[in-house]
Amino acid sequence: HHDRPGAAERREHADTVGDELDATGLVLELTYSDGSTEDVAYADAADEIALDPMTLSEAGEQTVTVTYEGKTATFTVTVTEPE
């Protein structure tokens, strides 16, 4: 079993207010108790990964919480006002 998702990273792309969060390119880095790591791509485990919030409701920096197998990690997205 892994202790925690150590990091969540997402390839950069534009997010605007009211958008659904696009998790394409999201990768979780799992860190195991023995110190080894494993990357899990959202595309491979979408049914097992929960993202909150799914709808980006305000402009500016927004923290997204990722939950996978009972463990959580966060990442930040920058949300802009729609043009």
Side-chain angles (χ1 to χ4, degrees):
H1 286 303
H2 53 83
D3 289 336
R4 59 190 170 80
E9 291 180 26
R10 199 178 61 133
R11 308 227 184 338
E12 204 49 54
H13 48 80
D15 294 295
T16 55
V17 172
D19 278 358
E20 286 284 306
L21 179 66
D22 181 359
T24 304
L26 176 70
V27 177
L28 296 179
E29 180 185 82
L30 309 181
T31 303
Y32 294 89
S33 52
D34 65 4
S36 65
T37 61
E38 176 190 2
D39 288 345
V40 175
Y42 181 80
D44 296 335
D47 293 345
E48 301 163 53
I49 297 173
L51 301 170
D52 180 44
M54 274 305 291
T55 302
L56 303 171
S57 57
E58 53 196 58
E61 298 273 297
Q62 201 160 342
T63 300
V64 177
T65 301
V66 182
T67 305
Y68 177 71
E69 294 187 349
K71 312 296 182 185
T72 60
T74 59
F75 65 92
T76 303
V77 293
T78 300
V79 184
T80 57
E81 290 287 355
E83 295 182 9

